[in-house]
């Protein structure tokens, strides 16, 4: 049994942030019912790269372990169905623009009266309060306002973005964390609550001491490419076979072991590099020396040699490398799951973190649109076949 076995979740989110929160809850055993618009479904059914037959390869991951219930939330009968479901729900996750749920008569003030124990996770760009709360907030914008974009990239070029929607996934993780904290509070008091998770604050929360450095010392972090200024050696270094490895040897003892392996032990006592501060001042110089050495050997040989002397190092992987790596294979970090739509199994990242007594599992990939509509309405609410058929004919489901 997963640790969230027996917890019922309604996911009313769309795209990435809310659905990623729902994915995490489902991974650890919660029964997650995803509410989608009839006919079209969540846009994530079309987003991302596809296989040769045109099937999206993102949907099987972000919707894994979930059930799909279609509801036209603009219809008052669908809104009544949501209210009935809420009475039997532990957690509701939504990431519509602030105020949209209230427009549908489904705000927390309404739903909490139906179920005082309800935990409502609300994920938006800028939160439920404040002058920006009604703004649309995609991850790209919120990553910039949360401080991430300004320090990403090289100093002589405009800010860059990561190749993933990092702000969305951070906000989904924040929502997941908030839901677990609220569950613990409910275990103690019996009361539910609202979890307000914004994308920009989720990004801000991982910005380390960026704000404090400015406030306390007037320091402004700038874009620094592949390094952290003053932290050396810790960089990406070229290899003989055209690859790149990451070496992190900025601690004095690590640097001494690295230079011994390089056959240049005298560097550890060189006044330019003999301690952390000195290496930070001469960062470009020591990186150039190490880069010259790494170019004499292929990546795998370098990583193996560095591992033997306990210097942190690793290759920069693509998906192919992950699938072939023996450590990934031994831990099943990437697993294969059968997908009926694709007609084959598909590789995806496994559940994380790992729990020793009640681990999460991947039970199935993303469902077909409306696959569980009849099941949920019948099992949760006791609807008859005739009632469900009528709702279908009227376009409510």
């Amino acid at each position: 049994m997963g640790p969230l076995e027996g917890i019922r979740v309604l996911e009313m989110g769309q795209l990435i942030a809310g659905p990623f929160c729902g994915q995490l809850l489902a991974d650890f055993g919660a029964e997650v019912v995803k509410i989608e618009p009839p006919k079209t479904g969540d846009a994530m059914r079309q987003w991302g790269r596809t296989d040769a037959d045109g099937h999206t390869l993102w949907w099987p991951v972000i919707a894994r372990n979930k059930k799909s219930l279609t509801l036209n939330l603009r219809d008052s009968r669908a809104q009544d169905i949501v209210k009935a479901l809420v009475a039997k729900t532990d957690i509701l996750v939504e990431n519509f623009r602030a105020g949209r749920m209230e427009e549908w008569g489904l705000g927390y003030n309404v739903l909490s009266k139906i179920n005082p124990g309800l935990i409502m996770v609300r994920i938006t760009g800028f939160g439920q309060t404040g002058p920006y709360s009604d703004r649309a907030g995609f991850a790209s914008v919120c990553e910039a306002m949360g401080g991430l974009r300004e320090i990403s990239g090289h100093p002589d070029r405009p800010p860059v973005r990561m190749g993933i929607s990092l702000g969305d996934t951070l906000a989904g993780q924040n929502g997941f964390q908030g839901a677990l904290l609220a569950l613990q509070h409910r275990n103690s008091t019996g009361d539910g609550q609202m979890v307000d998770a914004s994308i920009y604050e989720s990004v801000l929360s991982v910005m380390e001491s960026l704000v404090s450095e400015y406030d306390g010392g007037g320091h402004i972090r700038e874009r620094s490419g592949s390094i952290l200024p003053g932290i050396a050696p810790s960089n990406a270094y070229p290899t003989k076979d055209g690859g790149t490895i990451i070496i992190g040897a900025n601690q004095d003892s690590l640097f001494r072991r690295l230079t011994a392996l390089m056959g240049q032990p005298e560097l550890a006592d060189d006044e330019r590099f003999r301690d952390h501060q000195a290496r930070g001042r001469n960062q470009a110089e020591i990186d150039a020396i190490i880069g010259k050495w790494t170019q004499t050997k292929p990546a795998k040989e370098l990583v193996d040699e560095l591992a033997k002397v306990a210097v942190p190092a690793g290759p920069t992987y693509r998906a192919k490398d992950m699938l072939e790596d023996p450590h990934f294979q031994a831990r099943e970090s990437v697993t294969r799951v059968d997908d009926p739509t694709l007609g084959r199994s598909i590789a995806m990242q496994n559940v994380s973190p790992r729990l020793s007594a009640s681990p999460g599992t991947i039970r199935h990939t993303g469902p077909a649109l409306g696959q569980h509509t009849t099941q949920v309405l019948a099992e949760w609410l006791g609807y008859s076949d005739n009632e469900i058929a009528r709702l279908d004919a009227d376009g409510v489901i």
Side-chain angles (χ1 to χ4, degrees):
M1 291 177 61
L4 298 179
E5 193 83 22
I7 298 296
R8 281 180 163 178
V9 178
L10 288 184
E11 181 195 298
M12 300 177 68
Q14 56 185 337
L15 299 178
I16 304 171
F20 184 62
C21 177
Q23 176 196 320
L24 295 173
L25 291 164
D27 280 352
F28 288 98
E31 181 183 3
V32 178
V33 174
K34 179 175 183 60
I35 296 177
E36 303 182 73
K39 298 183 180 179
T40 58
D42 190 323
M44 290 306 296
R45 290 181 178 274
Q46 287 80 44
W47 274 33
R49 301 293 182 89
T50 63
D51 66 5
D53 297 319
H55 298 127
T56 178
L57 299 173
W58 197 345
W59 177 255
V61 182
I62 200 167
R64 68 190 190 190
N65 295 328
K66 301 176 186 179
K67 297 178 178 178
S68 173
L69 164 67
T70 52
L71 284 178
N72 176 9
L73 292 174
R74 292 174 174 79
D75 191 297
S76 61
R77 288 169 292 178
Q79 295 161 8
D80 289 339
I81 289 173
V82 171
K83 293 174 183 176
L85 292 169
V86 161
K88 302 174 182 295
T89 294
D90 298 287
I91 301 169
L92 186 150
V93 178
E94 65 95 3
N95 69 320
F96 298 112
R97 188 184 298 191
R100 180 60 54 83
M101 293 288 283
E102 282 74 13
E103 292 174 7
W104 291 333
L106 300 173
Y108 180 71
N109 60 331
V110 173
L111 301 183
S112 61
K113 291 177 181 176
I114 297 171
N115 180 358
L118 177 70
I119 296 163
M120 187 171 184
V121 179
R122 314 195 71 175
I123 304 175
T124 57
F126 298 101
Q128 299 295 316
T129 61
Y132 303 158
S133 60
D134 62 347
R135 291 185 181 181
F138 269 30
S140 54
V141 174
C142 296
E143 287 170 13
M145 295 183 68
L148 180 63
R149 291 294 184 93
E150 184 60 26
I151 63 169
S152 299
H154 292 272
D156 59 341
R157 304 173 208 172
V160 301
R161 71 168 296 161
M162 295 286 289
I164 57 173
S165 297
L166 186 60
D168 281 324
T169 51
L170 284 173
Q173 185 83 45
N174 236 359
F176 173 65
Q177 175 180 287
L180 299 185
L181 294 171
L183 275 175
Q184 178 58 26
H185 174 82
R186 194 182 72 176
N187 289 340
S188 301
T189 66
D191 297 328
Q193 61 182 297
M194 185 174 69
V195 177
D196 183 355
S198 70
I199 300 176
Y200 89 96
E201 286 170 321
S202 298
V203 172
L204 179 64
S205 70
V206 299
M207 295 308 295
E208 300 176 352
S209 57
L210 180 143
V211 173
S212 301
E213 288 172 4
Y214 172 74
D215 183 64
H219 306 294
I220 299 176
R221 291 201 190 187
E222 304 286 359
R223 293 186 291 284
S224 56
S226 61
I227 65 168
L228 284 175
I231 308 298
S234 180
N235 206 341
Y237 301 95
T239 63
K240 184 177 181 179
D241 53 356
T244 303
I245 65 169
I246 306 298
I247 300 176
N250 46 294
Q251 190 177 353
D252 291 349
S253 59
L254 295 175
F255 182 66
R256 188 169 291 277
R257 294 202 291 271
L258 170 62
T259 56
L261 178 66
M262 292 168 59
Q264 303 178 66
E266 69 279 1
L267 290 173
D269 296 312
D270 189 309
E271 63 179 11
R272 296 170 299 169
F273 313 127
R274 64 186 175 190
D275 59 33
H276 179 79
Q277 295 295 332
R279 290 191 298 275
R281 290 191 298 270
N282 298 283
Q283 190 163 17
E285 193 171 354
I286 190 57
D287 278 344
I289 293 170
I290 296 171
K292 185 176 180 180
W293 170 70
T294 58
Q295 290 183 80
T296 65
K297 299 182 180 184
K300 186 179 186 308
E301 182 179 334
L302 284 165
V303 171
D304 289 344
E305 289 183 2
L306 288 160
K308 289 177 182 177
V309 296
V311 173
T316 52
Y317 272 176
R318 294 187 175 184
K320 178 178 183 294
D321 305 306
M322 298 175 190
L323 289 168
E324 295 174 353
D325 186 282
H327 187 79
F328 279 62
Q329 292 172 0
R331 287 178 57 83
E332 298 183 357
S333 303
V334 175
T335 188
R336 302 197 72 89
V337 188
D338 289 333
D339 186 283
T341 301
L342 300 178
R344 60 178 178 84
S345 67
I346 183 172
M348 64 180 68
Q349 57 269 45
N350 213 335
V351 178
S352 179
R354 298 163 182 264
L355 278 64
S356 61
S358 54
T361 59
I362 301 175
R363 301 175 294 285
H364 59 81
T365 58
L369 180 61
Q371 180 178 339
H372 303 93
T373 299
T374 296
Q375 176 190 346
V376 172
L377 293 179
E379 292 182 1
W380 284 40
L381 304 180
Y383 277 38
S384 68
D385 290 343
N386 287 338
E387 289 174 309
I388 294 171
R390 190 177 308 117
L391 289 170
D392 186 22
D394 292 346
V396 179
I397 60 175

